[in-house]
Amino acid sequence: MTLCIMGNLAVSKMAAVFKPIIRWAQSKERIFLTLELSDVQYPAVELTGNRLVFQGFGHGARGEQQYHVDIDFYKPVDITASSHKVLDRHVEFSIAKLKGQQEFWPRLIVDEQKPAWLKVNFDRWQSEDTSDSEKDELEEQAKLENLMANTKAMELDLDNEIEKTKQEVFRFTRTFYLVVYNLMQGGLYLYITSVLLYKAIFQGTDAFSEAYDLVSDVLASCQLAAFLEVIHPMVGIVKTGVLAPFMQVFGRNLVLFLVVVANKELHKLTAVYGLFIVWSLIEVVRYPFYASEILGIRIEPLMWLRYTLWIPLYPLGVLFEVTLIWKAIPLLDESERFSVKLPNALNFSFSFAWYLRVYLVFLVIGGCYMMRHMYALRQRRYGRKKTKTK
């Protein structure tokens, strides 16, 4: 009886015959063959009751060649219960011994002389001489391997727990830092707002000219600290965009330090009071709102103020900024402060006054962008619900 799986096994007498390394092992019921031949192409197998013939092109002991195997078994085999697999790195055969003749063979092939290409696969080898002590040893080895696997699993679980703990510590540290930052900023702006309103209530319009002297130092500290709000999204501390905080922080610091602080003639203007109180009213709501959001605490009145108070305050803020810049331009034209005149080593000139003239256009555009941004956020929170038509 012959099992022909595929291919024509005729080997040309003129061609050189290369044999791969074959490792064999056995149990009482089966013969196990491993052909050390990788990336096999065009494999052909012929298995009969007494013989195995294999042919295929692949990478073996002699490199990439056509390899041929011809084995005459020590005893007949059961071809119907046998199988083979062509894998990427080798070819495996599981050949069943005939029922009634299932015993350990003294050798694989009929010839007593073992060929050089035939090796013993000690990893899978079994013999009838296997003693109880060896079986116990195998069982102990299996238990040891199981223990090692469990230990490795425990180490992996421990690594996962350590990583999880690191992430929890990072989240706690980030949350703690953001809450403290927002509450500190909110507290400072609450102080500024309280001072300005107190002076306005008890001194009337006379308080307008004192705004700069009263709160400029505290306000300057808050505005410098606000640069952190540009860094936060850049380093991933918060999951928001960079553009909106950059526009707000850059614009405010330009107006505060290069326009208001740098020109003493502006310090007593009512527009300075208006600008300071508008900024403070915006921030005295915004920072506590951020802190509550980070902590997951929903304060509905605070939320409503955050998404409503900007409607009158943002246009007023733009108006006061435009007013102060417009009044500063003639002063800067005359003093040429922050400007670069020719001649100089770089052969470059720059007029800060003209820069502010151009900046006024971008200030209005940026203000519109910020109001559109806030409008979108408000719509997301309080957008009109679609009513079902009957």
Side-chain angles (χ1 to χ4, degrees):
M1 183 178 180
T2 301
L3 176 64
C4 186
I5 297 178
M6 65 178 294
N8 182 7
L9 297 179
V11 181
S12 174
K13 294 182 180 179
M14 298 295 294
V17 177
F18 298 101
K19 293 185 179 295
I21 299 297
I22 300 177
R23 299 189 182 276
W24 82 287
Q26 67 172 323
S27 65
K28 192 174 182 180
E29 297 82 12
R30 286 187 170 271
I31 296 293
F32 305 104
L33 301 179
T34 301
L35 280 63
E36 296 185 354
L37 195 61
S38 62
D39 301 324
V40 177
Q41 300 179 28
Y42 318 114
V45 178
E46 182 181 333
L47 179 63
T48 66
N50 296 289
R51 191 182 185 197
L52 169 65
V53 181
F54 171 86
Q55 181 175 294
F57 183 86
H59 190 88
R62 303 294 296 273
E64 290 189 352
Q65 301 288 348
Q66 185 78 14
Y67 288 87
H68 180 79
V69 175
D70 192 343
I71 297 175
D72 292 319
F73 294 119
Y74 177 76
K75 283 190 174 184
V77 297
D78 183 357
I79 63 174
T80 58
S82 302
S83 63
H84 80 283
K85 292 186 292 185
V86 179
L87 305 175
D88 291 340
R89 294 185 175 274
H90 55 266
V91 181
E92 290 184 353
F93 287 88
S94 178
I95 300 171
K97 297 176 182 178
L98 285 177
K99 292 183 179 180
Q101 299 184 28
Q102 293 177 331
E103 58 184 17
F104 285 92
W105 295 359
R107 57 184 180 274
L108 176 65
I109 59 178
V110 174
D111 295 338
E112 293 185 1
Q113 185 175 359
K114 187 182 75 170
W117 46 264
L118 184 61
K119 312 289 183 181
V120 175
N121 189 345
F122 291 102
D123 293 335
R124 302 190 65 176
W125 185 266
Q126 298 180 23
S127 73
E128 56 187 342
D129 298 328
T130 303
S131 62
D132 292 337
S133 60
E134 290 173 331
K135 291 180 181 179
D136 292 340
E137 185 179 348
L138 291 174
E139 291 178 359
E140 289 297 327
Q141 183 177 358
K143 290 180 181 179
L144 180 60
E145 291 176 353
N146 188 38
L147 178 61
M148 292 177 65
N150 291 335
T151 303
K152 188 173 182 180
M154 291 176 63
E155 290 177 353
L156 183 60
D157 291 340
L158 181 60
D159 291 340
N160 291 335
E161 287 297 323
I162 292 174
E163 185 64 26
K164 184 178 179 181
T165 303
K166 288 181 179 179
Q167 292 177 0
E168 290 177 353
V169 170
F170 173 75
R171 283 195 293 268
F172 173 80
T173 305
R174 181 184 62 183
T175 300
F176 179 79
Y177 162 72
L178 289 175
V179 169
V180 170
Y181 169 78
N182 284 286
L183 290 180
M184 287 183 64
Q185 289 283 83
L188 290 173
Y189 276 108
L190 178 61
Y191 167 78
I192 295 170
T193 305
S194 301
V195 170
L196 293 177
L197 290 178
Y198 176 83
K199 289 293 183 179
I201 292 171
F202 289 98
Q203 295 183 9
T205 57
D206 293 338
F208 295 165
S209 61
E210 299 178 8
Y212 182 87
D213 296 330
L214 290 171
V215 298
S216 61
D217 292 342
V218 180
L219 185 62
S221 300
C222 292
Q223 285 303 129
L224 289 174
F227 276 111
L228 292 172
E229 297 170 33
V230 181
I231 299 174
H232 291 165
M234 294 175 64
V235 299
I237 294 179
V238 296
K239 304 298 182 182
T240 58
V242 179
L243 182 60
F246 173 79
M247 288 178 59
Q248 182 170 344
V249 173
F250 174 80
R252 284 191 179 182
N253 279 280
L254 184 145
V255 172
L256 179 62
F257 292 104
L258 301 186
V259 174
V260 177
V261 175
N263 295 279
K264 295 181 179 180
E265 297 85 349
L266 305 179
H267 291 180
K268 303 296 183 180
L269 295 181
T270 302
V272 172
Y273 179 92
L275 183 64
F276 286 3
I277 193 66
V278 166
W279 283 358
S280 300
L281 287 172
I282 292 172
E283 305 300 25
V284 83
V285 172
R286 182 169 73 97
Y287 285 113
F289 169 77
Y290 285 165
S292 66
E293 287 286 296
I294 293 167
L295 293 173
I297 301 173
R298 187 183 180 93
I299 305 174
E300 193 61 39
L302 186 62
M303 184 180 298
W304 184 86
L305 286 172
R306 166 60 181 158
Y307 293 112
T308 305
L309 202 59
W310 66 269
I311 297 174
L313 293 182
Y314 273 32
L316 283 174
V318 172
L319 176 62
F320 287 130
E321 289 183 28
V322 168
T323 300
L324 291 170
I325 291 174
W326 188 256
K327 288 182 175 294
I329 287 175
L331 301 175
L332 293 168
D333 277 331
E334 182 179 352
S335 66
E336 296 184 340
R337 187 181 288 115
F338 309 124
S339 298
V340 179
K341 296 170 58 179
L342 290 172
N344 56 64
L346 297 177
N347 195 26
F348 166 79
S349 64
F350 169 75
S351 172
F352 184 62
W354 275 103
Y355 170 80
L356 288 179
R357 289 183 174 93
V358 176
Y359 177 76
L360 284 174
V361 178
F362 290 96
L363 174 60
V364 175
I365 295 173
C368 293
Y369 170 83
M370 290 300 300
M371 285 185 276
R372 181 179 178 182
H373 172 71
M374 291 303 299
Y375 177 77
L377 294 178
R378 193 176 197 281
Q379 285 294 99
R380 197 178 305 167
R381 291 279 185 172
Y382 301 108
R384 293 180 181 178
K385 297 182 179 179
K386 295 181 180 180
T387 57
K388 295 182 179 179
T389 57
K390 295 183 179 180

